[in-house]
Amino acid sequence: MHDQATVLRKMASRQNVKPAGLRIISVTSGKGGVGKTNFTVNLALSLVDFGYRVIILDGDLGLANIDIACGITPHFTLEHLLSGEKTIEEILITGPKGLGILPGGSGVQDLANIERANLENVIRNLGRLEGMADILMIDTGAGLGHTVMNFLKASDDVILLTTPEPTAVTDAYGILKALRSDDKEVLVNVVINRVHREADAKATFERLEKAVNKFLHGSVNLLGWVYEDPLVGKAIMNQEPLGVTYPDSSAYRCIQWIAGSVSGLYLQPPRKAGGIRGFLTRLLRPF
């Protein structure tokens, strides 16, 4: 694994690079229980450390828990914005290190089915995120739900989290298969979580990559891996992110390394960021 010095060199290499528009990155997993929400929060915090302004949209409709991971309590959610009761500024919460959090609630599903009468208000409110952040990260629900797949296809970049467990890898492949179902190329960046050795991470990725190459005639990119670390569980119990409670832990150092690679998306992006308007256009296309 790259060491801390490598991360710092990557930080230095992008200090003067400014993102061209708000970039939307969805983090997903084929199954629950692989550590997706904690990874999302800590990746966001690492990117904040790198100098980016980051906002997380809690997009897990059934188990919205970004706020729990950060030890904060939301009073309003995306549902209040879609109904016109609140503005984007009123529902946005400031978390650790200035990280922005947009609680989703049932409004996440409603976002993919916006009534045209409310569309102008939603675009106007969400459009203000362009001036508030460089990156909008979406912590999607696990699995192949309709709302999850629409978020993934509408995002600029997708990060797929899995573990070496066979069921997790199988379900991750299911996500990739669903993304290829409409013959639209979506570049997916894979992170292997909870590994004991570098060799385990690489072997897991190779199994997934071979299946994608053989059966889907596509490709995936290994973004990095995160070591199994007992401090992750302690941070969860404390309801504080790992990057705040144990910033020197092995797991968080791995995530910092991955954040360095995510920063590289601005240096050589696979596709230009579409911003909020582009995201909503792609999200609403099926309707």
Side-chain angles (χ1 to χ4, degrees):
M1 190 196 76
H2 293 202
D3 58 18
Q4 191 78 356
T6 304
V7 174
L8 294 174
R9 284 195 294 271
K10 285 186 176 182
M11 288 177 64
S13 71
R14 61 146 297 273
Q15 276 185 342
N16 297 319
V17 178
K18 297 297 182 183
L22 179 67
R23 195 166 199 93
I24 296 165
I25 302 174
S26 282
V27 183
T28 193
S29 62
K31 67 187 292 290
V34 301
K36 176 177 54 62
T37 294
N38 284 292
F39 171 79
T40 302
V41 168
N42 286 291
L43 178 60
L45 289 174
S46 292
L47 289 166
V48 169
D49 289 339
F50 279 26
Y52 291 110
R53 299 170 301 162
V54 185
I55 293 175
I56 299 178
L57 168 61
D58 193 342
D60 192 335
L61 178 61
L63 297 168
N65 52 14
I66 289 288
D67 52 314
I68 296 174
C70 293
I72 55 180
T73 303
H75 297 290
F76 307 108
T77 69
L78 190 62
E79 187 176 10
H80 293 94
L81 183 144
L82 297 180
S83 68
E85 297 176 60
K86 298 294 178 181
T87 65
I88 191 72
E89 291 84 0
E90 290 175 311
I91 69 171
L92 184 65
I93 301 172
T94 300
K97 299 185 181 182
L99 175 67
I101 298 171
L102 281 174
S106 60
V108 170
Q109 183 168 312
D110 295 337
L111 181 61
N113 297 276
I114 299 174
E115 293 183 8
R116 293 304 186 267
N118 297 334
L119 188 56
E120 183 178 346
N121 174 60
V122 170
I123 290 177
R124 184 170 59 250
N125 269 277
L126 291 181
R128 292 203 289 276
L129 292 175
E130 297 275 359
M132 300 178 188
D134 304 310
I135 301 172
L136 174 65
M137 297 186 67
I138 302 176
D139 179 33
T140 75
L144 301 172
H146 181 72
T147 300
V148 171
M149 297 311 299
N150 281 340
F151 273 137
L152 298 183
K153 292 177 181 180
S155 298
D156 295 309
D157 304 288
V158 174
I159 297 175
L160 174 61
L161 193 74
T162 186
T163 68
E165 295 179 7
T167 53
V169 176
T170 299
D171 289 343
Y173 174 79
I175 287 279
L176 294 165
K177 183 178 179 180
L179 284 172
R180 292 284 296 178
S181 63
D182 60 359
D183 294 322
K184 178 183 177 183
E185 181 67 28
V186 177
L187 180 62
V188 177
N189 300 284
V190 177
V191 173
I192 315 297
N193 196 26
R194 297 176 182 164
V195 302
H196 293 281
R197 301 177 305 157
E198 178 180 333
D200 297 334
K202 290 184 175 179
T204 300
F205 176 74
E206 286 172 5
R207 291 200 307 272
L208 187 60
E209 184 181 38
K210 285 180 180 178
V212 171
N213 290 340
K214 182 176 181 179
F215 300 109
L216 302 181
H217 308 292
S219 62
V220 287
N221 175 56
L222 179 60
L223 194 61
W225 55 88
V226 182
Y227 289 123
E228 182 72 61
D229 188 338
L231 292 177
V232 173
K234 289 185 178 181
I236 292 172
M237 292 303 295
N238 292 336
Q239 287 189 267
E240 286 189 293
L242 189 69
V244 173
T245 310
Y246 303 108
D248 295 323
S249 62
S250 62
Y252 191 65
R253 288 200 301 270
C254 289
I255 294 173
Q256 287 179 308
W257 164 50
I258 292 168
S261 297
V262 171
S263 296
L265 293 173
Y266 291 121
L267 302 177
Q268 294 179 319
R271 67 178 178 182
K272 184 179 178 181
I276 284 294
R277 287 184 177 273
F279 172 73
L280 289 177
T281 298
R282 293 189 295 267
L283 185 69
L284 298 173
R285 187 173 296 160
F287 304 97

CSV table of all heavy atoms in Angstrom, one decimal, residues 11-38:
chain,number,residue,atom,x,y,z
A,11,MET,N,-1.4,15.2,-2.8
A,11,MET,CA,-2.0,16.4,-2.3
A,11,MET,C,-1.3,17.6,-3.0
A,11,MET,O,-1.9,18.5,-3.5
A,11,MET,CB,-2.0,16.5,-0.8
A,11,MET,CG,-2.9,15.6,-0.1
A,11,MET,SD,-2.8,15.7,1.7
A,11,MET,CE,-3.3,17.4,1.9
A,12,ALA,N,0.1,17.6,-2.9
A,12,ALA,CA,0.8,18.7,-3.4
A,12,ALA,C,0.7,18.8,-4.9
A,12,ALA,O,0.6,19.9,-5.4
A,12,ALA,CB,2.3,18.5,-3.1
A,13,SER,N,0.5,17.7,-5.6
A,13,SER,CA,0.4,17.7,-7.1
A,13,SER,C,-0.9,18.4,-7.6
A,13,SER,O,-1.0,18.8,-8.7
A,13,SER,CB,0.5,16.3,-7.6
A,13,SER,OG,-0.7,15.6,-7.3
A,14,ARG,N,-1.9,18.4,-6.7
A,14,ARG,CA,-3.2,19.0,-7.1
A,14,ARG,C,-3.6,20.3,-6.4
A,14,ARG,O,-4.7,20.7,-6.5
A,14,ARG,CB,-4.3,17.9,-6.9
A,14,ARG,CG,-4.5,17.5,-5.4
A,14,ARG,CD,-6.0,17.3,-5.1
A,14,ARG,NE,-6.8,18.4,-5.2
A,14,ARG,CZ,-7.0,19.4,-4.3
A,14,ARG,NH1,-6.3,19.3,-3.2
A,14,ARG,NH2,-7.7,20.4,-4.5
A,15,GLN,N,-2.7,20.9,-5.7
A,15,GLN,CA,-3.0,22.0,-4.9
A,15,GLN,C,-3.6,23.2,-5.7
A,15,GLN,O,-4.5,23.9,-5.3
A,15,GLN,CB,-1.8,22.5,-4.1
A,15,GLN,CG,-1.5,21.8,-2.8
A,15,GLN,CD,-0.3,22.4,-2.1
A,15,GLN,OE1,0.5,23.2,-2.6
A,15,GLN,NE2,-0.3,22.2,-0.8
A,16,ASN,N,-3.1,23.3,-6.9
A,16,ASN,CA,-3.5,24.4,-7.8
A,16,ASN,C,-4.6,24.0,-8.8
A,16,ASN,O,-4.9,24.7,-9.7
A,16,ASN,CB,-2.3,25.0,-8.5
A,16,ASN,CG,-1.3,25.7,-7.5
A,16,ASN,OD1,-1.7,26.3,-6.6
A,16,ASN,ND2,0.0,25.5,-7.8
A,17,VAL,N,-5.0,22.7,-8.7
A,17,VAL,CA,-6.0,22.2,-9.6
A,17,VAL,C,-7.4,22.5,-9.1
A,17,VAL,O,-7.8,22.0,-8.0
A,17,VAL,CB,-5.9,20.7,-9.9
A,17,VAL,CG1,-6.9,20.2,-10.8
A,17,VAL,CG2,-4.5,20.5,-10.4
A,18,LYS,N,-8.2,23.2,-9.8
A,18,LYS,CA,-9.6,23.6,-9.4
A,18,LYS,C,-10.6,22.7,-10.1
A,18,LYS,O,-10.5,22.6,-11.4
A,18,LYS,CB,-9.9,25.1,-9.6
A,18,LYS,CG,-9.0,26.0,-8.7
A,18,LYS,CD,-9.2,25.8,-7.3
A,18,LYS,CE,-8.3,26.7,-6.5
A,18,LYS,NZ,-8.4,26.5,-5.0
A,19,PRO,N,-11.5,22.1,-9.5
A,19,PRO,CA,-12.5,21.3,-10.2
A,19,PRO,C,-13.4,22.1,-11.1
A,19,PRO,O,-13.7,23.3,-10.8
A,19,PRO,CB,-13.4,20.7,-9.0
A,19,PRO,CG,-12.6,20.9,-7.8
A,19,PRO,CD,-11.7,22.1,-8.0
A,20,ALA,N,-13.6,21.6,-12.3
A,20,ALA,CA,-14.5,22.3,-13.3
A,20,ALA,C,-15.9,21.9,-13.0
A,20,ALA,O,-16.5,21.0,-13.6
A,20,ALA,CB,-14.0,21.9,-14.7
A,21,GLY,N,-16.6,22.6,-12.1
A,21,GLY,CA,-18.0,22.3,-11.8
A,21,GLY,C,-18.1,21.2,-10.7
A,21,GLY,O,-17.2,20.5,-10.4
A,22,LEU,N,-19.3,21.2,-10.1
A,22,LEU,CA,-19.6,20.2,-9.1
A,22,LEU,C,-19.5,18.8,-9.6
A,22,LEU,O,-20.2,18.5,-10.6
A,22,LEU,CB,-20.9,20.5,-8.5
A,22,LEU,CG,-21.4,19.6,-7.4
A,22,LEU,CD1,-20.6,19.8,-6.1
A,22,LEU,CD2,-22.9,19.9,-7.0
A,23,ARG,N,-18.7,17.9,-9.0
A,23,ARG,CA,-18.6,16.5,-9.4
A,23,ARG,C,-19.4,15.7,-8.5
A,23,ARG,O,-19.4,15.8,-7.3
A,23,ARG,CB,-17.1,16.1,-9.4
A,23,ARG,CG,-17.0,14.8,-10.2
A,23,ARG,CD,-15.5,14.5,-10.5
A,23,ARG,NE,-15.4,13.5,-11.5
A,23,ARG,CZ,-15.3,13.8,-12.8
A,23,ARG,NH1,-15.2,15.1,-13.2
A,23,ARG,NH2,-15.2,12.9,-13.7
A,24,ILE,N,-20.2,14.8,-9.1
A,24,ILE,CA,-21.1,13.9,-8.3
A,24,ILE,C,-20.6,12.5,-8.3
A,24,ILE,O,-20.5,11.9,-9.4
A,24,ILE,CB,-22.6,14.0,-8.8
A,24,ILE,CG1,-23.0,15.5,-8.6
A,24,ILE,CG2,-23.5,13.1,-8.1
A,24,ILE,CD1,-24.2,15.9,-9.4
A,25,ILE,N,-20.3,12.0,-7.1
A,25,ILE,CA,-19.7,10.7,-6.9
A,25,ILE,C,-20.7,9.8,-6.1
A,25,ILE,O,-21.0,10.2,-4.9
A,25,ILE,CB,-18.4,10.7,-6.3
A,25,ILE,CG1,-17.4,11.6,-7.1
A,25,ILE,CG2,-17.8,9.3,-6.1
A,25,ILE,CD1,-16.1,11.8,-6.4
A,26,SER,N,-21.2,8.7,-6.6
A,26,SER,CA,-22.0,7.8,-5.9
A,26,SER,C,-21.2,6.6,-5.3
A,26,SER,O,-20.4,6.1,-6.0
A,26,SER,CB,-23.2,7.2,-6.8
A,26,SER,OG,-24.2,8.2,-6.9
A,27,VAL,N,-21.4,6.3,-4.1
A,27,VAL,CA,-20.8,5.2,-3.4
A,27,VAL,C,-21.9,4.1,-3.2
A,27,VAL,O,-22.9,4.4,-2.6
A,27,VAL,CB,-20.1,5.5,-2.1
A,27,VAL,CG1,-19.4,4.3,-1.5
A,27,VAL,CG2,-19.1,6.7,-2.3
A,28,THR,N,-21.6,2.9,-3.7
A,28,THR,CA,-22.7,1.9,-3.6
A,28,THR,C,-22.0,0.5,-3.2
A,28,THR,O,-20.8,0.4,-3.1
A,28,THR,CB,-23.4,1.8,-4.9
A,28,THR,OG1,-24.6,1.0,-4.7
A,28,THR,CG2,-22.6,1.2,-6.0
A,29,SER,N,-22.9,-0.5,-3.0
A,29,SER,CA,-22.4,-1.8,-2.7
A,29,SER,C,-23.5,-2.8,-3.1
A,29,SER,O,-24.7,-2.5,-3.2
A,29,SER,CB,-22.1,-2.0,-1.2
A,29,SER,OG,-23.3,-1.8,-0.4
A,30,GLY,N,-23.1,-4.0,-3.5
A,30,GLY,CA,-24.1,-5.0,-3.9
A,30,GLY,C,-25.0,-5.5,-2.7
A,30,GLY,O,-26.1,-5.8,-2.9
A,31,LYS,N,-24.4,-5.5,-1.5
A,31,LYS,CA,-25.2,-6.0,-0.4
A,31,LYS,C,-24.9,-5.0,0.8
A,31,LYS,O,-23.9,-4.3,0.8
A,31,LYS,CB,-24.8,-7.4,0.0
A,31,LYS,CG,-23.3,-7.6,0.5
A,31,LYS,CD,-23.0,-9.0,0.7
A,31,LYS,CE,-23.7,-9.7,1.8
A,31,LYS,NZ,-23.3,-9.2,3.1
A,32,GLY,N,-25.7,-5.1,1.8
A,32,GLY,CA,-25.5,-4.3,3.0
A,32,GLY,C,-24.5,-5.0,3.9
A,32,GLY,O,-24.1,-6.1,3.7
A,33,GLY,N,-24.0,-4.2,4.9
A,33,GLY,CA,-23.1,-4.7,5.8
A,33,GLY,C,-21.6,-4.8,5.4
A,33,GLY,O,-20.8,-5.4,6.1
A,34,VAL,N,-21.3,-4.1,4.3
A,34,VAL,CA,-19.8,-4.1,3.9
A,34,VAL,C,-19.1,-2.9,4.3
A,34,VAL,O,-17.9,-2.7,4.0
A,34,VAL,CB,-19.7,-4.3,2.3
A,34,VAL,CG1,-20.4,-5.6,1.9
A,34,VAL,CG2,-20.3,-3.1,1.6
A,35,GLY,N,-19.8,-2.0,5.0
A,35,GLY,CA,-19.1,-0.8,5.6
A,35,GLY,C,-19.2,0.5,4.7
A,35,GLY,O,-18.4,1.4,4.8
A,36,LYS,N,-20.2,0.5,3.8
A,36,LYS,CA,-20.3,1.6,2.8
A,36,LYS,C,-20.5,2.9,3.4
A,36,LYS,O,-19.8,3.9,3.0
A,36,LYS,CB,-21.5,1.3,1.9
A,36,LYS,CG,-21.8,2.3,0.9
A,36,LYS,CD,-23.0,1.9,0.0
A,36,LYS,CE,-24.2,1.5,0.7
A,36,LYS,NZ,-24.8,2.6,1.5
A,37,THR,N,-21.4,3.1,4.4
A,37,THR,CA,-21.6,4.4,5.0
A,37,THR,C,-20.4,4.9,5.7
A,37,THR,O,-20.0,6.1,5.5
A,37,THR,CB,-22.8,4.4,5.9
A,37,THR,OG1,-24.0,4.1,5.2
A,37,THR,CG2,-23.0,5.7,6.7
A,38,ASN,N,-19.7,4.1,6.5
A,38,ASN,CA,-18.5,4.6,7.2
A,38,ASN,C,-17.4,4.9,6.2
A,38,ASN,O,-16.7,5.9,6.4
A,38,ASN,CB,-18.1,3.5,8.2
A,38,ASN,CG,-18.9,3.5,9.4
A,38,ASN,OD1,-18.9,4.4,10.2
A,38,ASN,ND2,-19.7,2.4,9.5
